[in-house]
Amino acid sequence: MVQVTHVGLNHLDIWVRRGVDSHPFPLPLIPGSDVVGLRTDTGEPVALHPGYGCERCDQCSRGQHSLCRHYAIRGETVPGGMCERIAVPESHLLSCSIDPAEAAATPLSLLTAWHMLVGRAQVQSGQTVLIQAGASGVGSLAIQVAKLHGAEVAVSASTPEKRQRCLALGADHAWAYEDVRDKVRAWTGKRGVDIAIDHVGTDTWDTSVRALTKGGSLVTCGATTGHAAQIDLRVLFFKQLSLLGSTMGTMDEMRDAWDAVSRGSIRPVLDRVLPMSKLAEAHRLLEDRTIVGKVVVEQDL
Ligand SMILES: [Zn+2]
């Protein structure tokens, strides 16, 4: 049993609240995917795995939890953490040695970024990585995951303030969206990047595909500007590109990524903390897209 103290918000919370066409959520549902609190038996601070598999199927036994047919995401398919106490199996706990609000800003986005770069694209030292929307929750952690693995990183972001934030997180280059195509050519000597990370969708898809070098990989985990995309099949086969889908990640990846946070190798990106009674305001901040970093709500104790 965990006494919840902090819950981080994700765009998923907004999708869950608004509803998604042809994707029923089980109702009633307690939202909240990123949950931090205290074990009621020991008082130890813990964070919860945001997603988990059934631990019985073939995919789970191979460690591929996010491919499990019964993969569960807290606050989406099973009750989440916007509550006082939550009971979970001990295997879903991560020990939490950092500031609890920063911890709550992190697990789901970090797992998403880690699985895209490490699990799917298999990022290597010395590779070039383009991260679209580098100032987003996933983007700001993807910058750090890529740098941790020795890659060179360029990002796109809409405002000078956001680009500055990306550089401060370790990005080597930060560009406006409209400049990405030319800047990639100049940066890589017309070669193109090894990996493009894209969760923007329709607006950036073509630029991301064309930014890739021969044998390059595009990894997508979302489509915030729309899910329709086209591709010139000649580009796909001549350049031997890989188009990779990604969602959440494995429980081992969550533990590896969490170790990096606990060591201080990856810094959570927290914009602000609000009391849980201001949850509506927290949702509005997220929808306005003016914040840089995550919003966390804390229990009104
Ligand atoms: Zn399973």
Side-chain angles (χ1 to χ4, degrees), residues 53-57 59-60 68-70:
C54 72
E55 299 294 354
R56 289 188 296 274
C57 72
Q59 297 289 10
C60 283
C68 172
R69 283 184 60 207
H70 305 288

Side-chain angles (χ1 to χ4, degrees), residues 24 73 80 95 97 104 121 155 177 190 194-195 210 213 237 243 263 266:
I73 300 177
S95 80
S97 57
V155 305
Y177 286 101
K190 296 185 184 173
D194 297 294
I195 297 168
R210 289 180 188 281
T213 188
F237 59 70
L243 302 180
R263 287 195 308 271
I266 288 178

